């Protein structure tokens, strides 16, 4: 089994497409049409899968893989996860981070670890980090320079400065607007 | 047919009050609200609201392009946890 720590899963083969050996892929990537730009994929066991072409079909990306020339061979790939090395992903600008790097970081508030980043969301109003806290409800923090001033990916820590009272449960009169 | 212009946009009164107080105080804070039905007004731009989705407060940093929409649009009640893959987050 290849080292999953340094690999990122970009998609999974869901079915064969046509009779020429193409496969339908469920993409987890932001830009499915550029999936092949990262170079060769590897499967769960670390075997290389050379992509010779990607196009967007009616069910999502349709991929042609080198050495897969007929439908039987394509069907045998069903369920195969497509990984790339983390190092193959392009470098990002300042203040840009891969979700994969942020998830799992410990969150420190005033010198105390309050939980870990469990997910990164964007519902249309900026990026949000979700923090899983042990024994308590998870909370969400806006991913802004003001509220999350320190991101130390090698150190595995994210320093947050939430507004005072942010984690407090709301008062009943707040909810009833009295 | 859309809402008549003479009626103006709908906003819950308590929300306007909270937003005014926050703007006057100048503190960085997240205004926790339950009113998903309220329209986002131009005076809310720059403020951060925590919009309740039935379980938790989703932070909504209001920008100019959000004016005219409802708060609830930015606080989904059903969450799909997708794969991280090569997705990027930008710190605002």
């Amino acid at each position: 089994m290849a080292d999953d720590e340094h690999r990122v899963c970009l998609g999974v083969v869901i079915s064969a497409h046509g009779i020429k050996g193409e496969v339908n892929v469920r993409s987890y990537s932001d830009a499915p049409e550029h999936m092949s730009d990262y170079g060769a994929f590897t499967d769960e066991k670390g075997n290389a899968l050379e992509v010779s072409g990607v196009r967007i079909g009616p069910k999502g990306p349709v991929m042609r893989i080198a050495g897969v020339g007929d439908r039987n061979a394509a069907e045998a790939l069903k369920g195969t996860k497509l990984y790339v090395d983390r190092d193959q992903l392009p470098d990002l600008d300042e203040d840009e981070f891969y979700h994969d790097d942020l998830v799992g970081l410990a969150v420190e508030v005033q010198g105390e670890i309050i939980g870990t980043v469990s997910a990164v969301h964007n519902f249309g109003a900026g990026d949000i980090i979700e923090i899983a806290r042990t024994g308590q409800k998870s909370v969400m923090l806006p991913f802004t320079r003001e509220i999350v001033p320190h991101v130390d990916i090698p150190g595995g820590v994210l320093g947050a400065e939430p507004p005072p009272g942010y984690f407090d449960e709301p008062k009943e009169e707040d909810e009833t607007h009295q | 047919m859309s809402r008549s212009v003479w009626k103006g946009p709908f906003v819950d009164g308590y929300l306007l009050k909270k937003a005014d107080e926050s703007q006057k105080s100048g503190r960085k804070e997240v205004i926790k609200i339950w009113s998903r039905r309220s329209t986002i007004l131009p005076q809310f731009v720059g403020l951060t609201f925590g919009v309740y989705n039935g379980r938790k407060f989703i932070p909504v940093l209001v920008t100019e392009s959000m004016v005219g929409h409802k708060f609830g649009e930015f606080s989904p009640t059903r969450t799909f946890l997708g794969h991280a893959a090569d997705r990027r987050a930008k710190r605002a």
Side-chain angles (χ1 to χ4, degrees), chain B residues 55-89:
Chain B
R55 286 187 300 133
K56 50 191 151 195
F57 293 91
I58 310 287
V60 173
L61 173 61
V62 177
T63 57
E64 272 180 32
S65 59
M66 291 156 65
V67 171
H69 290 265
K70 308 285 184 186
F71 277 106
E73 293 178 54
F74 303 98
S75 174
T77 54
R78 295 176 176 88
T79 312
F80 167 69
L81 281 179
H83 295 261
D86 61 349
R87 298 213 168 93
R88 302 158 189 203

Side-chain angles (χ1 to χ4, degrees), chain A residues 86-142:
Chain A
R86 170 66 185 79
D87 302 337
Q88 286 172 256
L89 299 181
D91 292 336
L92 298 177
D93 298 336
E94 195 191 354
D95 281 333
E96 263 194 334
F97 304 91
Y98 284 111
H99 287 199
D100 200 51
D101 291 338
L102 293 175
V103 172
L105 294 185
V107 181
E108 191 180 85
V109 177
Q110 291 171 344
E112 194 184 332
I113 301 290
I114 60 155
T116 55
V117 178
S118 60
V120 184
H121 305 286
N122 190 332
F123 303 127
D127 288 301
I128 297 164
I129 53 168
E130 182 165 3
I131 303 165
R133 300 184 294 173
T134 42
Q136 284 174 300
K137 272 187 185 175
S138 67
V139 286
M140 293 188 176
L141 273 181

